[in-house]
Amino acid sequence: MVLKAFFPTCCASADSGLLVGRWVPEQSSAVVLAVVHFPFIPIQVKELLAQVHQAGHVGLAVLGTWCHRRQGAEERLGPFLEGLGAIFSHEPWLQLCRERTSGLWSCKATCQQGPARVKDQVMLVFYDQRQVLLSQLHPPAALPDRQAGDAAASAEGLAAVFDTVARSEALFRSDRFDEGPVRLSHWQSEGVEASILAELAKRASGPVCRLLACLLSLISAASACRVFKLRPLSFIWSKLAVCGQLGHRLEQLELVFSTQKAEKPAQLMRKANVLVSVLLDVALGLALLSWLHGKDRIGQLAEALVPVADHVAEALRHLLQWLMGAPAGLKMNRALDQVLGRFFLYHLHLWISYVHLLSPFIEHILWHVGLSACLGLTVALSTLSDIIALLTFHIYCFYVYGARLYCLKICGLSSLWRLFRGKKWNVLRQRVDSCSYDLDQLFIGTLLFTVLLFLLPTTALYYLVFTLLRLLVVAMQGLIHLLVDLVNSLPLYSLGLRLCRPYRLAGTLPSSQPA
């Protein structure tokens, strides 16, 4: 009879101890999960196995002994290890040994009850416990375990091995560096926590996260104060893109430094994606900050900003003069055309004067604004979007003026059109009702309708031109916001796992149970 013993590669260099795992009678297989090191108390080992069985509904037992002869004193452990079979009774009893110098393995299985005999053959199968645990590729519908008294069910192939490792996750929460009564070796303790710095970081992460969570909660409480909800401040907060990005960054930091453990793998994956996104964002922001402060690039930008503003203003002045003439051969209402053109030209003159008034302070403003890149590239891009909005505020005003004037004329024409049809808008009932008008009302309505109708093309042309300019600015800001959203929402950690370690993603997918 061939007995298959699945042994984790991470325990090949572990110290001598007991083999803890699960026996699968249908497959005549023994799945070794961990090695219990000396010294230990047998009752504490049994309590640990009972806790794992209660957490994962998988019956574990001491399958045998493991002897790694790396020191001369361990050569005398043979009789002692063989005597442990009387304390932890299991059929069959495995005895795995690895020689000190030659590296040869010896595997045998004995029966403790009746005359001692050795099994015909033991096949030692090595498996990567880390990949098997994180993949969870073949979980069977029911876990066969006669030792735990569960209902017997058949599991073909390696599905029982995969599911055994997956359900024994509670066994891997403690490692050989924990100050517990039982010291274990498994995939979590494969030289990862051997570094003192990693162990200190592991122990200090809890207090640091709690301290940062308290600070972030104080900042959130301060930002939610009633003072910031007053009309001017709340309006500014809603209009500035950098304020929205700072609020989003605060939510990200609260999620990363939250002391609450993730209940599902998807929540843990989301926290990892947010952490990687924040780190990449800050790294790109620091790179941008170093580029701006190198070779006096901020001064160069400040010197180029005013000429660019003058060039844009000159282009708008030519556009307004073109509209005040005969644009595209269209015949406009000259009086209204001259009034609107002069009004917008005066508004443009005020804007240029305001830019030249601020020109001595632009370099200092850009220097302080560039410091926002320390908080991340997305904060710097949001600040750039707000700067574009401030520099094109005159275009926004042109659009608002044209849109309001066009809207008033359309509303007036629609109201006068209802007057011709003997209708009126009922404000109380929010509907159109019939109404009788006298001759004077119809005469005045006809005059007003005629005037508004002939003035509509001039107003519509100004509204169309300024709407196109506004759409150009909105498109620029939209591209910046698209880049910000891409950095905020791109699952970089998941993409990295998909390229490097795709088996890690399999454990985060919801497992489908057969009907």
Side-chain angles (χ1 to χ4, degrees):
M1 181 179 180
V2 179
L3 186 148
K4 295 182 292 294
F6 292 89
F7 190 81
T9 56
C10 56
C11 297
S13 58
D15 296 334
S16 300
L18 297 178
L19 297 176
V20 176
R22 172 173 168 263
W23 171 253
V24 184
E26 289 79 7
Q27 304 291 333
S28 297
S29 304
V31 183
V32 179
L33 299 174
V35 175
V36 180
H37 300 296
F38 301 107
F40 59 82
I41 301 177
I43 187 63
Q44 294 176 346
V45 177
K46 294 180 180 180
E47 290 178 356
L48 176 63
L49 299 181
Q51 294 175 2
V52 176
H53 172 65
Q54 184 178 3
H57 302 287
V58 54
L60 302 184
V62 178
L63 301 178
T65 58
W66 159 254
C67 181
H68 189 196
R69 298 175 180 175
R70 292 184 297 176
Q71 300 176 1
E74 294 189 5
E75 295 179 356
R76 299 189 296 269
L77 288 177
F80 174 72
L81 294 176
E82 293 178 359
L84 292 176
I87 302 176
F88 302 97
S89 58
H90 184 269
E91 296 293 336
W93 184 259
L94 295 179
Q95 294 181 3
L96 301 182
C97 182
R98 185 182 181 185
E99 295 296 335
R100 177 181 54 181
T101 56
S102 61
L104 297 178
W105 292 70
S106 62
C107 311
K108 62 180 180 178
T110 61
C111 293
Q112 303 298 328
Q113 298 179 0
R117 64 183 181 87
V118 181
K119 293 287 183 178
D120 294 338
Q121 187 179 1
V122 178
M123 180 185 299
L124 188 61
V125 181
F126 293 97
Y127 72 97
D128 192 338
Q129 194 176 64
R130 181 168 175 265
Q131 296 189 11
V132 171
L133 174 67
L134 298 176
S135 60
Q136 300 182 9
L137 296 179
H138 307 289
L143 179 63
D145 196 345
R146 294 180 179 176
Q147 296 177 352
D150 300 337
S154 60
E156 298 180 357
L158 299 177
V161 179
F162 278 84
D163 196 66
T164 299
V165 179
R167 297 199 183 195
S168 305
E169 188 175 357
L171 184 66
F172 308 132
R173 294 174 183 172
S174 60
D175 50 42
R176 57 185 176 183
F177 299 100
D178 292 337
E179 299 178 356
V182 180
R183 296 188 305 116
L184 301 173
S185 283
H186 42 73
W187 75 279
Q188 289 279 38
S189 57
E190 191 185 7
V192 178
E193 289 82 8
S195 174
I196 298 178
L197 295 179
E199 182 66 17
L200 291 177
K202 176 182 176 182
R203 294 182 180 274
S205 60
V208 171
C209 288
R210 284 192 291 268
L211 177 61
L212 293 177
C214 293
L215 293 177
L216 292 174
S217 62
L218 290 178
I219 296 175
S220 300
S223 62
C225 184
R226 183 174 295 181
V227 177
F228 295 98
K229 294 183 179 180
L230 297 178
R231 180 62 181 174
L233 294 179
S234 63
F235 179 78
I236 295 175
W237 182 274
S238 62
K239 294 300 180 181
L240 292 180
V242 65
C243 295
Q245 179 58 30
L246 288 177
H248 182 70
R249 177 54 49 83
L250 183 60
E251 295 177 357
Q252 288 180 330
L253 294 178
E254 288 179 350
L255 176 63
V256 170
F257 296 108
S258 176
T259 56
Q260 184 179 2
K261 292 185 177 181
E263 299 179 356
K264 299 179 180 179
Q267 298 177 356
L268 182 61
M269 187 65 63
R270 178 173 178 266
K271 181 179 292 188
N273 286 326
V274 171
L275 177 60
V276 174
S277 177
V278 170
L279 293 178
L280 179 62
D281 189 14
V282 173
L284 293 176
L286 293 177
L288 176 62
L289 183 63
S290 63
W291 181 82
L292 288 176
H293 287 273
K295 298 182 180 180
D296 195 23
R297 290 189 174 89
I298 293 183
Q300 297 175 4
L301 290 176
E303 293 177 357
L305 187 60
V306 176
V308 169
D310 291 336
H311 179 72
V312 173
E314 189 65 25
L316 287 176
R317 184 180 290 109
H318 288 303
L319 178 63
L320 291 174
Q321 292 175 356
W322 177 70
L323 290 175
M324 292 172 64
L330 298 176
K331 183 175 179 57
M332 312 292 291
N333 185 278
R334 184 169 182 78
L336 180 61
D337 194 10
Q338 292 295 323
V339 170
L340 292 179
R342 291 175 182 177
F343 172 76
F344 290 125
L345 284 175
Y346 179 71
H347 197 288
L348 184 61
H349 173 71
L350 291 179
W351 175 252
I352 291 300
S353 301
Y354 172 71
V355 171
H356 283 280
L357 183 64
L358 292 179
S359 58
F361 311 99
I362 289 180
E363 184 176 356
H364 299 283
I365 294 175
L366 290 179
W367 189 87
H368 289 89
V369 167
L371 295 179
S372 63
C374 296
L375 301 176
L377 179 63
T378 55
V379 178
L381 291 177
S382 300
T383 307
L384 177 62
S385 176
D386 294 333
I387 292 176
I388 293 176
L390 292 176
L391 292 178
T392 58
F393 184 72
H394 55 297
I395 296 179
Y396 175 74
C397 292
F398 292 168
Y399 165 73
V400 171
Y401 298 154
R404 183 58 59 90
L405 187 60
Y406 180 76
C407 180
L408 289 176
K409 288 194 174 183
I410 292 298
C411 292
L413 288 174
S414 62
S415 179
L416 294 174
W417 177 251
R418 287 194 295 267
L419 184 142
F420 292 152
R421 296 185 297 135
K423 305 286 184 180
K424 74 171 184 176
W425 175 253
N426 194 331
V427 180
L428 297 179
R429 298 186 179 183
Q430 296 294 312
R431 67 181 186 183
V432 178
D433 294 336
S434 300
C435 181
S436 58
Y437 298 95
D438 55 15
L439 186 60
D440 295 337
Q441 292 175 334
L442 292 175
F443 178 73
I444 296 176
T446 303
L447 291 179
L448 293 177
F449 183 82
T450 304
V451 171
L452 292 179
L453 183 62
F454 283 103
L455 293 180
L456 182 62
T458 304
T459 307
L461 183 61
Y462 275 88
Y463 171 67
L464 177 62
V465 172
F466 293 144
T467 300
L468 294 178
L469 292 177
R470 177 60 182 168
L471 287 178
L472 181 61
V473 176
V474 170
M476 295 173 56
Q477 292 180 314
L479 292 177
I480 296 177
H481 293 168
L482 181 62
L483 183 58
V484 171
D485 293 338
L486 181 64
V487 176
N488 285 330
S489 60
L490 190 63
L492 299 174
Y493 183 74
S494 300
L495 291 177
L497 289 182
R498 182 66 180 86
L499 296 176
C500 300
R501 296 177 180 177
Y503 57 86
R504 290 286 301 272
L505 290 177
T508 62
L509 299 176
S511 58
S512 57
Q513 298 293 340

